[in-house]
Amino acid sequence: YMIVWMDGIVFKVRENGKVINKTVYLCVGLNKEGLKEVLGMWVGKNESAAFWMGVLTDLKARGVEDILITVTDNLNGFTETIKSVFPTSTTQICVVHQMRNNWEELTVFFDFPVEIRKIIYTTNLIENLNGKIRKYTKNKLSFPNDDALKKSVYLAITEIEKKWYQPIWNWALIFNQFITIFENRIQV
């Protein structure tokens, strides 16, 4: 994948008679055709680099060979976790998160042309997906179990993806930039 955005979204779920927070981990990939696709959905207790390790390992086991750029929030240990599964991947931490937390590490962003920067500078793409999922699930204060949560989020994603039928704007130029930058890693 050219780019993979990763984030978690928290929901209330009943478990053992209590309502607890559960995180739905989502990965959205940008393929060689410039199309976005949800690569998977995983449910865990709370967002952590350790859980993301399992998510990334699962992606690799399912056939994802390479990710050129990952875009994440500033979760502690996330970059190292990505590097352990996809060692050649470049991680861009959301610029908004960096400005809030660590302005000095705003480096990866400037390694790319403006057209690529526009699509990797924030986690807005996946945050937008999370917001749309919330619209579909807003009437549910809590879910009775993990399966009900997964089904609701899956149905929301299915509806959202119906609108993802066109490549991102200016894809031909952006794809050529990817080929120039990552020439040894992209098979055309």
Side-chain angles (χ1 to χ4, degrees):
Y1 284 89
M2 307 289 107
I3 303 170
V4 173
W5 291 265
M6 297 179 240
D7 197 18
I9 179 172
V10 178
F11 291 95
K12 303 258 183 228
V13 180
R14 279 187 223 108
E15 185 174 276
N16 300 324
K18 294 181 182 176
V19 175
I20 63 168
N21 288 337
K22 292 267 184 119
T23 301
V24 174
Y25 295 78
L26 296 169
C27 294
V28 176
L30 184 68
N31 64 27
K32 287 186 217 175
E33 289 77 40
L35 298 171
K36 300 175 284 187
E37 55 188 83
V38 175
L39 303 179
M41 167 181 65
W42 301 261
V43 176
K45 291 264 183 181
N46 52 16
E47 193 172 9
S48 69
F51 195 92
W52 276 111
M53 173 68 82
V55 169
L56 292 163
T57 303
D58 184 47
L59 284 175
K60 189 142 195 148
R62 289 177 21 213
V64 175
E65 295 173 13
D66 194 9
I67 299 171
L68 302 179
I69 302 170
T70 56
V71 183
T72 68
D73 57 16
N74 205 13
L75 183 67
N76 195 23
F78 205 170
T79 301
E80 294 78 15
T81 299
I82 294 165
K83 287 279 184 207
S84 69
V85 181
F86 294 99
T88 56
S89 182
T90 301
T91 298
Q92 168 61 43
I93 296 170
C94 173
V95 172
V96 174
H97 286 91
Q98 284 189 22
M99 285 191 288
R100 267 190 235 141
N101 302 315
N102 196 351
W103 178 251
E104 291 79 38
E105 290 185 13
L106 186 61
T107 55
V108 170
F109 177 72
F110 294 109
D111 291 342
F112 297 102
V114 171
E115 293 80 10
I116 293 177
R117 283 187 218 164
K118 285 180 182 177
I119 54 178
I120 68 168
Y121 80 100
T122 71
T123 52
N124 281 357
L125 182 138
I126 201 159
E127 299 286 350
N128 186 287
L129 173 64
N130 290 348
K132 288 177 180 172
I133 290 170
R134 285 261 183 243
K135 272 187 179 174
Y136 282 98
T137 60
K138 69 181 174 189
N139 293 332
K140 209 71 170 138
L141 297 177
S142 67
F143 291 89
N145 54 44
D146 286 359
D147 284 341
L149 171 62
K150 287 178 196 174
K151 287 175 186 174
S152 288
V153 173
Y154 172 79
L155 290 172
I157 289 170
T158 301
E159 287 301 308
I160 294 162
E161 281 186 318
K162 287 178 183 176
K163 296 178 180 154
W164 291 358
Y165 57 87
Q166 292 216 324
I168 62 168
W169 187 81
N170 215 5
W171 179 244
L173 173 65
I174 293 168
F175 187 61
N176 282 323
Q177 291 172 339
F178 271 108
I179 290 170
T180 302
I181 297 166
F182 299 102
E183 61 185 311
N184 300 329
R185 292 172 57 197
I186 298 176
Q187 298 167 3
V188 182

